[in-house]
């Protein structure tokens, strides 16, 4: 196999809020590093990475010839995506956008949700050089969770869901958001394939 790729959601790898939490964070870093080492993958996509300092601590424990990580933009909670590679990275970038679009039913229709759907965590994109395969584009994404999205009032405050209909609407908002993110990534892959027909890509 020319290239092995793994993806790993490290679940809220955030700085310890106090001195008492520091030992727990250290143990978590050791456990995460052991998992990455066990994967023994050439390229590892990471989701829910906190600060750059925490990522550096994780990479130091992993070792194994991984180069400098590629980091994505982070959301309001401070988590984002990152990519580790022990094969050469030819180029890397992070894709962001002010707002995600959603399909209309007929050409000329107004955007159904305006600019209401953000891309909270940037998409990490690296082109790596895989032995025997050549260049492979690897994209690391972390879509919005499936948890319902509550309605907002005119001031931006959330409105509790007090009926089955309201709860179903929240689930649908979440699905729309996640789908818009998926479509954005699909567009990135389409761009790779248009620029280099026959290109290899992993998301």
């Amino acid at each position: 196999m020319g290239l092995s790729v793994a993806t790993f959601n490290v679940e809220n790898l955030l700085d310890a809020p106090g001195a008492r939490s520091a030992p727990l964070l250290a143990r978590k870093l050791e456990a995460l590093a052991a998992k990455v080492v066990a994967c023994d993958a050439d390229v590892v996509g990471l989701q829910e990475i906190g600060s750059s300092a925490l990522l550096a601590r994780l990479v130091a424990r992993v070792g194994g010839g991984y180069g400098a990580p590629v980091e994505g933009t982070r959301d309001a909670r401070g988590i984002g995506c990152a990519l580790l590679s022990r094969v050469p990275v030819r180029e890397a970038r992070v894709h962001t956008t002010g707002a995600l679009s959603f399909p209309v039913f007929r050409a000329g229709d107004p955007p159904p949700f305006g600019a209401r759907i953000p891309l909270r965590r940037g998409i990490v994109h690296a082109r790596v050089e895989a032995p025997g395969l050549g260049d492979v584009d690897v994209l690391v994404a972390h879509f919005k969770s499936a948890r319902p999205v509550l309605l907002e009032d005119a001031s931006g405050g959330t409105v509790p869901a007090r009926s089955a209909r309201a709860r179903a609407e929240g689930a649908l908002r979440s699905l729309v958001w996640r789908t818009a993110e998926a479509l954005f990534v699909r567009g990135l892959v389409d761009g790779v394939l248009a620029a280099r027909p026959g290109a290899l890509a992993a998301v």
Side-chain angles (χ1 to χ4, degrees):
M1 186 173 183
L3 184 73
S4 56
V5 180
T7 183
F8 188 9
N9 186 322
V10 298
E11 193 175 4
N12 296 323
L13 184 60
L14 297 168
D15 291 296
R20 294 179 63 182
S21 306
L24 181 62
L25 175 60
R27 290 196 297 273
K28 179 172 182 174
L29 285 168
E30 290 295 341
L32 294 174
K35 293 290 187 184
V36 173
V37 170
C39 284
D40 193 31
D42 298 318
V43 180
V44 182
L46 300 168
Q47 297 85 27
E48 299 201 14
I49 289 288
S51 67
S52 297
L54 276 178
L55 178 58
R57 289 173 64 184
L58 176 61
V59 173
R61 284 165 171 77
V62 169
Y66 291 102
V70 183
E71 298 183 57
T73 53
R74 293 167 171 85
D75 64 14
R77 284 200 301 134
I79 60 171
C81 298
L83 179 142
L84 307 180
S85 179
R86 63 186 183 194
V87 295
V89 176
R90 295 175 60 85
E91 57 183 278
R93 61 176 296 187
V94 178
H95 299 277
T96 60
T97 184
L100 295 165
S101 62
F102 200 79
V104 298
F105 278 91
R106 178 174 292 182
D109 283 351
F113 304 107
R116 297 280 184 204
I117 310 176
L119 179 67
R120 297 180 302 163
R121 296 175 278 260
I123 310 301
V124 175
H125 181 182
R127 183 168 296 158
V128 303
E129 186 179 330
L133 290 175
D135 289 352
V136 179
D137 285 77
V138 182
L139 293 89
V140 184
H142 180 25
F143 297 159
K144 189 223 165 288
S145 74
R147 287 180 295 184
V149 176
L150 293 175
L151 176 69
E152 293 184 0
D153 60 24
S155 63
T158 55
V159 179
R162 303 190 186 281
S163 67
R165 162 75 189 227
R167 289 189 290 274
E169 288 179 352
L172 185 55
R173 288 188 201 97
S174 180
L175 179 61
V176 166
W177 196 337
R178 288 162 60 84
T179 305
E181 290 174 323
L183 286 170
F184 179 75
V185 174
R186 176 69 257 184
L188 298 178
V189 174
D190 288 347
V192 169
L193 298 177
R196 294 166 45 237
L200 301 174
V203 178

